[in-house]
Amino acid sequence: MTNVDPIITSKAESWLKSNIDEKSKSEIRNLLASEDKTELIDSFYRDLEFGTGGLRGIMGVGSNRMNVYTIGMATQGLANYLLKSFPGEQISVAITHDCRINNTLFADTTANVFTANGIKVFYYREMRPTPMLSFAIRHFGCKSGVMVTASHNPKEYNGYKAYWEDGGQVVAPHDVNIITEVQKITSIDEMNWNKNDALIEYIEADFDLIYLNEVKKLSLSPNEIMLQKDMPIVFSPIHGASGKTVPAVLKIYGFENIHIVKEQAEPDGTFPTVIYPNPEEKEALTMAIELGKKVNAELVLACDPDGDRYAACVPDGKGGFELLNGNQGGSLITYYLLSKWREHGMLTGDQFMVNTIVTTELINAICAGFNVTCYNVLTGFKNIAAIIKQLEGKKQYIAGGEESYGYMVGDFVRDKDANSAAAIFAELVAYYKTKGQSVQDVLAEIYMQYGFYKEHLISVTKKGKDGAEQIQALMAGFRNDKPSEINGIKVVKIIDVKESKVFDLVNDKEEKLDMDKSNVIQFYLEDGSKISARPSGTEPKIKYYFSVNEKLPNREAYRTVEASLDKRIEGLQSFFS
């Protein structure tokens, strides 16, 4: 029998004594009585915390699970913080959810607790993608907002993204302060459940047009779209919340030949046609690619369940489709936007773009080529939103993104937006098609100008309390025993974001890093390679990001250089697996 920390047992018993429903009490009794205590430990060994994506976890009973009580406590803590932050003001929040199991229940719970505390709620009548929640916060002048979603996690998960008045996810000090307020609630019975339905105002479907018109303003090549309006495009929402919005955006841009994957069009939190509802995984795009072959599509698009991340597949010239990774997609959009902004005389020196520290440095190189400042921030779109807010009124934001298929064009939304990203990507395909170029041609053009960058990500899953401890031990090992070489290649620099230090191994110097702390370590090698190690903030994983680059002398050398880069990544990967 597994030994159980008395604190865990005490926490479970305190839940039993509280005013929770009988079904939950029965589940807790079963956990306490079970001979195998693993599930009891995982359910109660900690309280869910805000990570890079907010509150997220497996659904079930317990303090480390997503349920109406952890949702209620998080909302009560957020409500308390809002009331302290904006004393004497009429406070309002916006709420919506995607397609996941229990999402209506969790969103209703969130709305009820807010109204019980005298806070007005703008509540979408129907599910909507995450970017539209961010947009609503700004449009209605809300102080905060909540999106109930677990993004691309497996069906057992749900989550709760908390937003601030700028439309971005909460950042320091608000994230820590909200958790502090939640931790002050020592009993479930301390929550205010006395809802006030009079404080709920529903956001109806006609609000969509206001958002769609903002997305339409981003278009830079209407003439080329007109020429390519019949270009076949396939789209799948993968059973998620973007089933109406992405087709609507494509149509408002002028695309008329859109094919929806019918088997994945209806919202369904069980995600019956895929193993994982993650557009990063080609398996999730199987049906979309098959439809793409049937209709000879020029572009296949798909979104994750909450519609903030998109994937793009393009014809590979061999009768199939190539899934572009997030770094390629981000680089293409960056290059296209800056090319068009320059063409239209819109680059005045006051513009900027944003990249994250684990995303390809090719984006930095492209921005430098156009003399546009590119800021590098920590992982998570909340950090991109934060720098936009910081520079508001001083510099003009163009776009920004991260390697995990997230991109945001324009600043009317302050979180990654698959709707606008999908539309802009379709536009760039149409634009270059008019010029007789394929997406691969454009990528080769970019690589020849700025260097052929290639990236690879591996994620190592380690579940439960033991897994979390193993991940922390791995990171501690990197810090305490710094490698001098990786796969026989000399390490020249190490950046430890958590310790705010930069180690120059060539000159044996140590400098201070001017960046918020985060549990990330980056290794820079003598040959230009870069490896980043980062525990996930929302999943029980440690992620390793590999980046290598070489010169591409000409288009004909593409596959040869690519094979060389793949071999280098393979060698680096062996060091960490």
Side-chain angles (χ1 to χ4, degrees), residues 387-403:
I387 200 162
I388 294 172
K389 184 178 180 180
Q390 179 185 328
L391 295 173
E392 207 154 23
K394 301 172 187 173
K395 300 193 76 173
Q396 184 181 15
Y397 170 81
I398 298 176
E402 57 186 6
E403 51 74 40

Side-chain angles (χ1 to χ4, degrees), residues 54-284:
L55 192 71
R56 194 179 299 184
I58 295 170
M59 288 177 280
V61 69
S63 62
N64 190 37
R65 294 287 185 256
M66 289 293 298
N67 51 65
V68 293
Y69 305 109
T70 51
I71 287 281
M73 285 189 281
T75 306
Q76 184 65 59
L78 178 53
N80 291 347
Y81 186 61
L82 286 167
L83 292 167
K84 286 182 177 181
S85 299
F86 304 102
E89 295 186 45
Q90 171 61 62
I91 300 169
S92 61
V93 301
I95 300 173
T96 192
H97 61 85
D98 64 9
C99 62
R100 284 189 175 265
I101 297 166
N102 290 324
N103 267 16
T104 303
L105 173 63
F106 291 167
D108 286 349
T109 300
T110 303
N112 292 343
V113 174
F114 276 133
T115 63
N117 286 274
I119 294 172
K120 181 174 180 176
V121 172
F122 288 94
Y123 196 172
Y124 275 97
R125 179 79 69 177
E126 301 172 340
M127 70 176 68
R128 284 294 183 270
T130 291
M132 293 188 69
L133 183 276
S134 174
F135 180 70
I137 292 168
R138 296 174 58 76
H139 180 83
F140 292 110
C142 298
K143 299 300 185 187
S144 181
V146 172
M147 176 74 192
V148 179
T149 177
S151 188
H152 60 283
N153 282 56
K155 63 184 178 182
E156 296 82 11
Y157 283 75
N158 214 318
Y160 178 107
K161 292 182 182 178
Y163 290 76
W164 205 240
E165 61 181 332
D166 65 328
Q169 290 184 52
V170 291
V171 294
H174 304 306
D175 50 0
V176 176
N177 292 343
I178 292 166
I179 287 293
T180 300
E181 290 296 333
V182 173
Q183 290 172 342
K184 289 179 184 177
I185 303 167
T186 57
S187 167
I188 290 169
D189 299 332
E190 293 177 27
M191 286 183 289
N192 190 342
W193 294 103
N194 299 316
K195 65 175 182 173
N196 180 357
D197 290 338
L199 288 176
I200 293 180
E201 181 176 333
Y202 287 99
I203 304 173
E204 305 294 353
D206 57 3
F207 180 71
D208 293 1
L209 190 58
I210 299 172
Y211 165 78
L212 293 173
N213 283 331
E214 289 297 323
V215 178
K216 187 179 180 181
K217 292 175 186 176
L218 301 172
S219 178
L220 295 164
S221 299
N223 294 333
E224 286 79 5
I225 290 177
M226 192 180 299
L227 292 171
Q228 304 295 340
K229 65 181 182 178
D230 294 323
M231 181 179 88
I233 300 173
V234 167
F235 172 66
S236 173
I238 314 183
H239 305 289
S242 61
K244 293 180 180 178
T245 53
V246 169
V249 168
L250 292 172
K251 286 175 183 174
I252 207 169
Y253 264 52
F255 294 104
E256 297 179 0
N257 193 5
I258 304 162
H259 303 263
I260 312 297
V261 179
K262 293 178 181 177
E263 299 90 339
Q264 298 177 332
E266 290 303 313
D268 188 336
T270 66
F271 309 112
T273 64
V274 296
I275 298 172
Y276 297 111
N278 186 353
E280 291 179 81
E281 304 288 342
K282 197 168 184 179
E283 180 276 330

